[in-house]
Amino acid sequence: MLSDSTTRHDLLSWAIPPTFLKHHRLMPGLGPSLTAVDSGLLSALVPSQATLSLFMSSPDEDTVAGTGVVLPYSSTDPVPGACNAEVNLDIDPNVYILYNLYETTIRFAPANLGYERGGTPPACDTSTEPDTRWRLRYDVYQYFLPENDLSESSLFAAIQAVADVQGAMKNGKRVMTLLASDASTAGFNSIPGQGVVYSVVVRDSLRNASASYVPAHTYACSFASTLDGCHTLGKISTKIFFTIAGLAGLFVCFFGHRFFKCELFCMGFSFATFFFFVLITRTTDLDYDICLAVSVVIGVAGGVILVMSWWRFGSVMACVVVVGLMLGFLVASTVLFTPLGDLNVLRRSDAVFWSTFCCIMVTVPLFFVRWPREGNIVTCGAVGAYAVILAVNAYIYTSLSFITLNILKRFLNDYFSAVFTDVPFQSADYVMITVWVVLGVSGVVLQLYRERTRPFFPPSPYLMWLQERERRKTNVLDPSYHFPPLRNRLLARARQLTRRMEPAGEHTPLLL
């Protein structure tokens, strides 16, 4: 209950997170109400009103935990959600969240100008003059909860930290500003399992006043799902796939150039798997596990094809270019993972984004023409170490996985270009960056040192076999020159296996 006997126009907003504390058995007649997650009510007090009562209850009549925040506003402050045209509430100060695998979208009702207690609210859409609500602007703030923390206490503390204007400005990060003429929606990158609180602050620059909407949160996953919920995030197939990929990446990081065929197989497998996973997902409605299984099978074929092309034709540069494209893909993804990727020119135009991405990706293999061995070893270290990071992400969340996941989402979702791809960077992420750098540098230095006296690349086995066969044909002093051809030796061996064995011993002809 909030008591106020002043003549100011006071507005009350009571924010209720998704679990409520039921503390009233006898409920009065239902007035303005709302049942939702992160819900709040805002009520304008009339001049003669001294008290206002709000009641909280659990819809399922269960005893649950919850928290509430009470915010008073003056007559000069904007009224959040006062120009609501969609919800039954006359004033709707709530922020609504929708999410899927790719993006999280928030929306809210436009605000109106503040007015005196007992006065008439200004009209919402009769004019666009500067003395109407069209001069208002909306700042959207983002606040990340601690990584891998799904506790209620952490959520309640976060809600309280950004509930008012000062808290949002101090603790949150302003990610965008919307004008009154813009659509009151914003899109962000979905991070399953990572708690995020979104807060909107509406500002009136003429009166130098501001007001906060009810903050809303999301984990981009469901707590009710038993198969793939927030507590069991990550499919078993994904964990198996990235665990094997991480082990292969660790091998490539330290021994890739020495075992060149294994490196080519891993790179060809990665390239083909990624390409066909995007293609199958975009063109079919198959289940995720089936898409992943089919992509893995095709990826194995792609790895074998890359190895056999080097084995048959011996073109090192052609194979190294494919390897260079893998490093170029990782470099381009890393560059666009930085705040550079959220520039409006890149975020709103797919043509500009993909042109920039392809230019960076294609530029990297050009250095391999001059330094093929060094470039191949650097690729082994960087890509192999990143595969280890992805394997760790299958069990413990790290934001570094979104370096490539954001690119995959943009491939698969036509509307992902309008999404802000900001992700939290916390202590665990800095640890994983250190692991990535240490593994990559160690692998590169070790391979450069070990390969310093060896040939740049191993020779093609097929070309070596051709040379050896030609040498045996022309060198009569070589004992192998007198060996029958392989085909004749195989036929002779087959005849020995099928021919009846003669009894041992000496036979003397009968003399007449």
Side-chain angles (χ1 to χ4, degrees), residues 458-508:
S460 168
Y462 180 74
L463 296 180
M464 289 184 61
W465 178 77
L466 289 179
Q467 295 174 1
E468 181 67 17
R469 187 180 67 173
E470 193 66 25
R471 184 185 64 82
R472 289 198 306 266
K473 286 182 178 180
T474 57
N475 186 7
V476 295
L477 299 179
D478 190 345
S480 62
Y481 176 84
H482 304 282
F483 288 170
L486 177 62
R487 177 175 176 271
N488 294 345
R489 294 201 303 270
L490 293 176
L491 291 176
R493 181 60 178 168
R495 294 191 187 98
Q496 291 178 1
L497 294 175
T498 58
R499 182 180 301 171
R500 185 176 64 85
M501 299 296 295
E502 296 292 341
E506 182 180 355
H507 295 271
T508 303

Side-chain angles (χ1 to χ4, degrees), residues 393-413:
N393 180 75
Y395 301 92
I396 301 176
Y397 169 81
T398 171
S399 297
L400 296 184
S401 62
F402 283 86
I403 292 177
T404 51
L405 186 58
N406 284 342
I407 302 300
L408 178 61
K409 288 183 176 181
R410 191 144 185 165
F411 270 121
L412 298 178
N413 190 356

Side-chain angles (χ1 to χ4, degrees), residues 313-350:
F313 302 104
S315 178
V316 173
M317 289 307 302
C319 298
V320 168
V321 167
V322 176
V323 174
L325 289 175
M326 293 294 298
L327 180 61
F329 178 88
L330 183 59
V331 171
S333 302
T334 305
V335 171
L336 296 177
F337 178 72
T338 64
L340 179 66
D342 281 331
L343 294 178
N344 288 334
V345 66
L346 293 174
R347 190 171 61 86
R348 296 179 178 177
S349 175
D350 283 335

